[in-house]
Structure formats: structure tokens, C-alpha cells
Amino acid sequence: MTINVKQDWKDIVHRCFRCGYCKFTFEYSDFNCPSYKKHRFETYSTGGRMWLIYGIINGDLQWSQNLANVLYSCSTCGNCMENCRFDKFNDFLVDIIEAARAEAVKNGFCPEKQKALLERTTNTEMFNPYGEPNSDNEELKKKYNLPDKAEWVYFIGCTSNYRQKNLRDATLRFLKKINLDFTLIDEHCCTSPIIRTGQIEPVKEFMNYNIDKIKEVGATKVITSCAGCCRTLKVDFAKQGVNHDLEIYHTSELVKRFLDEGKIMFTSEFNKTVTYHDPCHIGRHMGLYEEPRDVYKQIPGIKFVEMGRNRENAWCCGAGGGVKIGYPDWAVEISKERLEEAKETGATILSSTCPFCRTNLSDANDKFNLGLEVIDLIEILDQLEIKVNE
Amino acid sequence: MSNAEVLSKLEQIVGKDFASNNQEDLFIYSQDPGVSHPRPVDYVVMPETVEEVQQIVRFANDKKIPIVPMGGGMTLSGLVIPIKGGIVLDMKRMDKIIEINETSRYALIEAGVTSGKLIAHLREKYPDLQAPYPDAPPSITIAGNALIHGSGYLSQKYGDHGAMINSLEVVLPNGEVCKVGSCAISNYWFTRGPIPDLVGLFTSAFGTMGIVTKISIKLFPKPKLRDIVIGLIKELNTIPGLILNLTKTDIPEDLMIALAEKPDFMKGYAILLLYITGDSQDELDSKTKILKKIYRKNKARFMKLPPRYYDVFLEQPQFAAKAADFRKGGGFEYVGSFMPLGKIPEAIEKARDISLKYGIVPTQVSRIIGRGHNVMFAASYSFNRADPEDMERARNALHETNKMVLELGGIPWKAERDGQKLIIEKMDPNYKMLFKTIRNILDPNGIMNPGNWEV
Ligand SMILES: Cc1cc2nc3c(=O)[nH]c(=O)nc-3n(C[C@H](O)[C@H](O)[C@H](O)COP(=O)(O)OP(=O)(O)OC[C@H]3O[C@@H](n4cnc5c(N)ncnc54)[C@H](O)[C@@H]3O)c2cc1C
Ligand code: SF4
Ligand code: SF4
């Protein structure tokens, strides 16, 4: 459940009791709010944020850069939504934080680094938050011999297209291998980074553009390899009132469906111990917990192990909500904790299903020399032999 | 000394990240989830070690800056909102579990260990042991709770949580570290005596005597099974007799009388929530049989808990914070009190009248402590944080309840400043004199949570 922008979140903020259930994992084994765990002042707990936001609404507090910083020191991981005990309020915690960020933006208090995301994304040479020249993906279409019209569009997403090309290429190879009728479009950013940082002004225009492009190639189905794009296309488009009749699949959902339908079978082995990091955007935000797990478990030879905190209880990688760009050192500290948890399982591979998680987890792996292999599920599948049943 | 200089000194002690006078931090620490009006805070500081606490206290003493120690800040009665400004010392970075002694059954922990942390630790590593927890959220501290004479689901059997303190380590207002209880003599933090018992100086003192940095709390064996045996009481005056008969047996582990409108089966009755424990179903069944007989003899009716409420009533600790959502307004506060058992029927009636007078649905709970030696009687008032008039109604109801409690011979528990004033009005003058003398000796500059217990 989400609050759409018109719904008045201001009417429910005061329901926060500041009781702190939201700081913990289900079984209280640890703090699960990365922000509270780092800062430790009550201010940085979810309850603290709710009370600050309420303070702004009722005029007890004035906007300041520091205050905005507290609101932006949240990876929008959604752990608080799982652990807050107040029904029909807990669903809205992250929405409220994002809505308050939009107010910060309106009042001129968006932090500089997060602002840069918007500047780059709206730059007509770029249309992506990384500041790279926009790729119309024509080269890739040629390289992979993709048609102009197809049933499916692979929406690559900016992180895969500009930072995690391995993951993008593995996805392209995989989709070719399974003979999916798909193509690429000249996509613009899905708008996840600017929505999460409250910079919502141009969002609808981007959304409509992407939908038009997908429709132009005759596609009715979209596949994303990015958890952030997936959530945005599936959840945020509707929230923003941009409705579409496209079917949106995360790669893990597509693979699971093809395995279930017997369309594909893995025929070679992957003899390694793997643990799975649930990306917040498809996990807590969308409830996709079992689909990726089902795929890993069907890989011959794999030893699949769980970390202590998994599924709804998973520790965030620390990249989301503008934290990676706003607080890069802290972002990798959050990932470091995840990698250490992964090591405790005896796994040699920490795998996820999101290029943004992959980036941050890899950065921490390198920075702290933790010696794990960090790869996406699709990169594992890319190494397998696959039998395709037409 | 300017504010900036004070802050800089505090930052030198605890590090830049853990001392603040940012408006956001001061705003948050100037209020608690209860109904108290906000009061100004000057600095918020989070120490990590005893040495840091000592340095902060020495500095504050030197500069005469008030200090308010805070655990979870969840008493609801504004006890961690400074009355005279100064430093709020949030203790929750001091969160080490130092020792679990299985033989002498105690946990030696730092003062900032939350109940959530201890619950998880024991559940994982010592599943046969349990600590005294309140039905408060997991973010409260074990020390904060024991230091205010809290109570919980072991209290009927073993007493209030203040009684479960074996030993303390305290930073006194002059910055010296003092050990009280057996740890003053032995490496074992296993008991309070047999020396003059100074632990009492620090309990329900609300931080006016020193800052507790370590606490040893008793642990208890944890039976494998737990169940609830509900009794419906129609006539309130039967309650004391029923409780005495029940506590004659060794059966009830936790024993509460609740009055609430929800769930529906609780409407119109005083409900006896009696928890039993055991290591086999047979044991539970035979205990239930005995209890049913006692219920019958004392005009109470046994009721089987509808299965859909099992999780709600058997959760440990219970989700009592749900009262904050009764009016969808994010708030409730209660007058808790220590009340003689014989006065419970009257207290229930009177608190119900007060609730109705202020248009608040009556919600009360009485928890038996130590086989009826004492009862923690609580009358709870939910309010809507977004409605100032509703909050004022709750404040008035609380104040009236404090007065009612004292009139009946009870004593408001963890009382807010106004409640403390009512208690002090009734206090024996020589008790006041003794308390004042000790306090002046320990804290001549009056830096420790000043404004509380102003005798
Ligand atoms: C929903 C709900 C349910 C509750 N249920 C119960 C219950 O079942 N039983 C019960 O007993 N209570 C209950 N409470 C009341 C209260 O929350 C608890 O007693 C709680 O444990 C208090 O601990 P704290 O850490 O929040 O203390 P705080 O509020 O932080 O502190 C309490 C007092 O102790 C002082 N103090 C704190 N730490 C130190 C220290 N280190 N040194 C010196 N002084 C210190 C503070 O200055 C303050 O005066 C409940 C509260 C709520 C909100
Ligand atoms: S967000 Fe929910 S759990 Fe967290 S403090 Fe507020 S009411 Fe409590
Ligand atoms: S979304 Fe995550 S980081 Fe943000 S307040 Fe909730 S738990 Fe904390």
C-alpha cells in the first residue's frame, strides 16, 4: 500500500508513538534501521523522523539544512514498515519520508549532492543520474541483433547501462539464449533516484516518455534487471497517476516463470556456496522474496544458504534513497555489515538481483577487502548451459 | 562559558558525532511520547564508556549544568525531559552485555542495554533463562525500568523489578565511580547484602542521585510452556479474596486484572488474566483444574480464550503500546501506582468514573506484585496528539487519578513532576529531611535531574 501524492499524509504523521519497535529486527536481535544504527540519536530513528515531520507540519520546527539532512539520512529500506506495529500507519512510513523530502525540495533544502541527481537526469544530453551521455541503445540492438518491434522490452536501467555493464550484458545474453522476443528502447531514467529524493517535479514527463517508447515498439511486456526500475514501473507509475497496461517483470520473476512452465532447464552445474541479498526495492517494497530463491535453488550443484536476516528482515545494502550519492562512506559501511553477515554463512558468493545493490556491495567488498564474490543472479545464470524447450 | 564552548568540550569527551545542540536533536529530546508539555534541552550527549560519563559529570558539576540520564525515555511521564534544561545523557550506546552468570542466575549489563537486546540474547544463547521485562516496547532499557521499580510478567512471583537488582555501578554527582551491592566486595554481582543496602538510594530517584552505568539483574528459570487461564469477574469486591486464594497456591506466574472495552469479551467485566507455566501439558492441565475450582468458589467464571486472541495475550512482552492507537492519535499515558490489594475495587470504580468524566474509554490494568503484597494499578488515558484539547483532557484525568490514588492510600509510580508534588505534600517531614540531606551531600550543586523530587 502506498500513499499517492494527493493523499494527505499530513493527517496521519502524528500517529507515531515514538515507541521504537521500528528500530529492531523482528526478534530484536539487532537494530534494523541503518540510520538509527549509525547515528544513535533518537532523531535518526523512524519515530524521530516522524516527529520532526510533524513538528514541521504544525509549525514547531522550521526547515534547515540539518533537518533536511536527517530526512535524507534514510535509505528508504522499508525495515521500519515491517516492524512498526501500527497497522494502516506502518504501510506509509517511507511514503511519508519521501513526501517530506518533496517538501524539503520545495522549500529549497534538498542537499547539494542529491540535487545533482536531478540536474543530470534532466540534462537533455544525459537523461540519467550518472551524468553519462545518453545511450539510445542502437549499438546494443545491432550487437545483439534485436528487432525494431517485439513483444517484450528489456528496460536496462541507468545503473546497468552506465555502471554495471557486465550485468546488462549477462541479461542480454541470457534473454537471447532463451529466445525471448525482445528489444531495447531509447530509454530515459525510470525516475527512481529522483522520486526517492523528493525531486518529483519532472517525474510524470519521464514516465510518459518511457511508456510511449515501449508502446512504439509494439511491446506489451517489460523486463527489468534492476530492483529500483521494477518498483518504479510497477508501483510508482500508478502512484503518480501514470497508468499503463504493460506487464512488468523482474528478471527473477521471468526466469522463475519460464522454469515453472518448463520452457527452460539448467543443464550445467554451478558448484559454489551462494547467499542471497534481498534488494529492498523488490523485497520489502514489492514482496518478491521467493521468486529469486526458487531460481537459485533450481541451479544444479549450488549450495544455497541464508543469512540470519533475510526476506522481510533483510539488512539493507545502504545504497538506496539517495544515501549512496549523499553519504558514500556511510553507504559502504552499511554494505560492509551485510558482507560480514554473508561471510558468516560460509558462502563465497553474495548474490543479489539489483545492479545498485551490486555496486554498493562490491564497493564495500573492495574497500574493506572482504574477499567475497559479489554477482547478480543473472550473471550466475549467464554461466550455465540452458536447455530451451520451444 | 558559551554554548559553543560547552558543546566543544562535550564533543572532546564523546566525539563529534555523539554530542549535539542541533535544533532537531533538541526538539526530539525535549518531549516524550506521553502528554507532558515539551521543555527545553540544551545538549544531547551519548557516552560510550564509564570514563566518558565521569568526564561529563565532572565537567557539568564544575559548570553547574544539569544532567538528565535517559534510557529508553519511555516512562511517558516526562521523567527524561529536563525541568531545568541542561544535558540529556542518552545512555543507549552503553549497551554491552558483560556477563550472564548461569549458576548465580544474573545478567551483568551496561545501563543502555535495551530489553529487546537482552530478550534476543537470552532467547538465542540461554533459552532456559528469562529476565524481568516490562510490557513496554523493546527500546526501553533494563536499567531504566528496574531503577523506577518497574514490574512485569515475573512480578507476581518474584516482586517488582527494583527488588531484582543485585548490584549497581554508579557515577556519583562528583564524578567518582561507586559500586553498590555485592560487587563492592566480591567479583560476583549476585546479591545486595549483607551490607548496608544502598541500592535503594538510586531506585525511583529518577536520576537525582547519580548515573547508573552497570546493573546486575536477577534471571529466572524459563519453563517450556505458558498458557493463560481467564476469569470473568462480575463483582469487583470479590477481587481481593480471589487474589488471596489464588496466590495461596504456587500456581500463577503473572496475574493481572484488566478493564477494557476491547476485545468485545472484555466489555462489562473485570477480567482476570492469569498466566501459568510448566514443563508439560499435563502440568498445565492440572494447574488449570485447580484454578477453575478457585474461580468457581470466588464467584468468577472461567473463560476459554478465543483462539484468535492467543498470539495477542501470550506475546512476551505484550504489545501494550497499542493503547497509543486507540484514538488513532499516537498517544496514551497512564497513572501507574502502587496500591494496597484491598483498595483495588474502589480504585477501579473511581478510575472508571474519571475516564467517563473526561470522555475517555476506561482502560485499566492491575498487576499483582509478590503474591498480593502490592498491586501495580494503572489507569490509562489515550489521546490524540494532533488535538490539544484532547491532550489537555488526558492531563486533567491523569492529575485527578494521581489525587485519587493518594486518597486511597496508594502511591503514584514513576510520577511526573506534578504527581511528585502531590506525593511530597503527603510525605513524612523527616523522610523529606533525610532525603534532602543525603541528596545535598551527594549533589551539592544540584546538577542531577533538578526539579524532580524537590522536597
Ligand atoms: C506501552 C508501554 C507499556 C509499558 N509497560 C510497562 C510494564 O509492563 N511495566 C513497567 O514497569 N513499565 C511499563 N512501562 C513504563 C516504562 O516504559 C518502563 O518502565 C520503562 O522500562 C522505563 O525504562 P526506560 O529505559 O524507558 O527509562 P527512562 O524513561 O529512560 O528513565 C526512567 C527514569 O530513570 C532514570 N534513568 C534512566 N537511566 C538511568 C541511569 N542509567 N542512571 C540513573 N537514572 C537513570 C531517568 O532519568 C528517569 O527518571 C510501559 C511503557 C509503555 C510506553
Ligand atoms: S514508526 Fe511505528 S514503531 Fe516506529 S516509533 Fe513510530 S509508531 Fe513506533
Ligand atoms: S526506511 Fe530504513 S533507513 Fe529509513 S527510517 Fe525506515 S528503517 Fe530507517
Side-chain angles (χ1 to χ4, degrees), chain B residues 106-333:
Chain B
Y106 64 80
L108 171 59
I109 57 179
E110 288 187 327
V113 170
T114 59
S115 65
K117 182 159 186 168
L118 191 59
I119 288 171
H121 186 76
L122 294 180
R123 201 182 280 157
E124 191 196 335
K125 304 237 162 67
Y126 304 91
D128 296 336
L129 287 174
Q130 54 183 338
Y133 311 113
D135 286 320
S139 47
I140 63 97
T141 60
I142 295 288
N145 179 254
L147 288 173
I148 58 165
H149 288 106
S151 54
Y153 48 80
L154 296 173
S155 291
Q156 125 62 23
K157 257 194 161 161
Y158 304 111
D160 71 62
H161 297 165
M164 297 181 189
I165 302 173
N166 284 333
S167 284
L168 298 171
E169 177 190 83
V170 190
V171 174
L172 298 175
N174 64 2
E176 291 301 314
V177 176
C178 178
K179 288 183 172 167
V180 284
S182 62
C183 66
I185 291 133
S186 154
N187 286 335
Y188 295 94
W189 296 54
F190 71 120
T191 181
R192 271 154 98 139
I195 50 175
D197 184 0
L198 297 185
V199 168
L201 268 184
F202 303 96
T203 46
S204 286
F206 306 155
T208 56
M209 295 288 181
I211 293 162
V212 171
T213 43
K214 291 191 188 80
I215 181 168
S216 160
I217 191 99
K218 287 186 183 12
L219 300 176
F220 300 89
K222 185 174 182 187
K224 288 196 183 68
L225 301 174
R226 188 165 180 265
D227 204 352
I228 183 167
V229 186
I230 290 187
L232 304 179
I233 304 168
K234 258 290 178 214
E235 293 169 34
L236 295 180
N237 59 9
T238 60
I239 290 173
L242 172 63
I243 299 299
L244 287 178
N245 284 322
L246 288 167
T247 50
K248 249 187 227 168
T249 70
D250 210 12
I251 296 175
E253 178 157 298
D254 186 11
L255 190 43
M256 287 185 281
I257 300 147
L259 210 74
E261 299 285 304
K262 288 255 167 8
D264 287 342
F265 71 80
M266 293 182 71
K267 216 171 168 171
Y269 290 101
I271 308 285
L272 192 73
L273 304 169
L274 191 156
Y275 292 85
I276 53 173
T277 51
D279 285 324
S280 70
Q281 194 53 48
D282 280 352
E283 188 184 340
L284 295 189
D285 291 345
S286 62
K287 283 180 172 173
T288 306
K289 220 162 137 190
I290 298 169
L291 292 171
K292 280 183 180 169
K293 223 187 251 171
I294 300 176
Y295 286 5
R296 259 197 312 276
K297 277 196 181 151
N298 291 271
K299 297 191 187 164
R301 196 150 60 80
F302 165 75
M303 192 194 94
K304 200 165 166 42
L305 181 68
R308 66 179 182 283
Y309 294 122
Y310 242 77
D311 287 350
V312 176
F313 282 88
L314 282 157
E315 184 178 8
Q316 266 180 310
Q318 287 207 10
F319 175 41
K322 64 178 173 293
D325 212 33
F326 286 170
R327 287 165 105 91
K328 298 284 169 270
F332 87 100
E333 185 174 331

Side-chain angles (χ1 to χ4, degrees), chain A residues 14-21 23-24 27-29 31 36 38-44 47-48 51-52 54-55 60-64 66-67 70 85-87, chain B residues 17-20 22-25 27-29 31-33 44 46 74 76 92 95 114 116 120 123 137-139 315 319 321 324-325 328-330 332 384-386:
Chain A
H14 67 277
R15 278 181 61 196
C16 171
F17 184 45
R18 229 177 89 198
C19 50
Y21 278 93
K23 293 174 186 170
F24 290 88
E27 68 287 5
Y28 313 143
S29 58
F31 296 124
Y36 176 73
K38 161 85 178 161
H39 296 280
R40 299 305 292 272
F41 285 128
E42 292 296 323
T43 325
Y44 290 82
W51 280 43
L52 291 179
Y54 187 57
D60 288 345
L61 268 178
Q62 305 306 316
W63 279 107
S64 70
N66 260 334
L67 197 151
V70 177
R85 305 276 312 250
F86 295 96
D87 288 344
Chain B
D17 290 342
F18 296 107
S20 167
N22 286 337
Q23 66 145 2
E24 308 69 57
D25 298 317
F27 175 80
I28 291 296
Y29 284 85
Q31 14 185 357
D32 81 354
V44 187
M46 292 196 79
M74 288 301 293
L76 305 180
K92 289 193 292 298
D95 62 354
T114 59
R123 201 182 280 157
S139 47
E315 184 178 8
F319 175 41
D325 212 33
K328 298 284 169 270
F332 87 100
N384 182 347
R385 199 173 293 289

Side-chain angles (χ1 to χ4, degrees), chain A residues 254-272:
Chain A
L254 177 88
V255 179
K256 156 97 169 102
R257 186 175 133 184
F258 275 33
L259 284 167
D260 287 352
E261 289 173 355
K263 286 191 176 148
I264 57 171
M265 251 176 78
F266 304 137
T267 52
S268 63
E269 293 197 344
F270 188 77
N271 292 307
K272 290 188 176 164

